[in-house]
Structure formats: C-alpha cells, structure tokens
Amino acid sequence: MEIFQPRSNKVENRGPLLLIIYCTVTGLAAIVVCLRVISRTFIVKSFGLDDWVMVTATIVAIMNVVAAVFSTPSTPYMTILSLT
C-alpha cells in the first residue's frame, strides 16, 4: 500500500465555485442590510452611525466582489503554483 500518491500536473479549478459562493453570500448580506436600512429609516425613524458603517461596509464588500469577478484569470488551470 502506497502512502503518498504522485502529484498530477492537472489541477482542479475551483475558482468559479468560489466566485459563486462569494457572490451569493455577499448578495444575501446586502439584502439583509437593505432590509435593516428600510426598517431603521421608515419604522424606527432612527438612522445612526452604526447604520452608516454597515452601509459603507456593504458597499466595500460589493466592490470587492466586482473586483474578484473581473480579476479572475481567463485560463482554466492557472494557479498560484504555475506563477512561481
């Protein structure tokens, strides 16, 4: 029984799956923040500093997703290992 298996040159690309998960989680968080903003603005009528911080953080997270989508390598098997 061989403990170590030889490495393959073909590396599975999990980038698209990670991108889908990243976009989904950020989208759900943005929906939650939007619902909070609506409730704090129209129901409670108290929009404070903590709400502005959450809105700012959500905008930064959305910009991070956009940057991740547009910076994805076009070659399917490009990994950090192939860059070294």
Side-chain angles (χ1 to χ4, degrees):
M1 183 169 87
E2 188 174 325
I3 296 175
F4 299 107
Q5 295 187 7
R7 286 189 159 212
S8 172
N9 287 339
K10 187 175 179 182
V11 178
E12 180 182 356
N13 184 13
R14 294 186 183 175
L17 176 64
L18 292 174
L19 215 54
I20 290 170
I21 293 171
Y22 191 36
C23 292
T24 303
V25 170
T26 304
L28 289 174
I31 290 170
V32 168
V33 170
C34 286
L35 291 174
R36 177 183 166 98
V37 166
I38 290 170
S39 69
R40 297 283 288 186
T41 303
F42 298 112
I43 298 172
V44 181
K45 295 186 181 4
S46 173
F47 198 77
L49 179 64
D50 57 338
D51 299 310
W52 284 112
V53 171
M54 286 182 63
V55 168
T56 305
T58 303
I59 291 170
V60 170
I62 291 171
M63 290 185 336
N64 196 8
V65 168
V66 170
V69 167
F70 287 117
S71 68
T72 304
S74 59
T75 54
Y77 295 109
M78 186 174 172
T79 61
I80 294 174
L81 296 175
S82 68
L83 295 176
T84 59

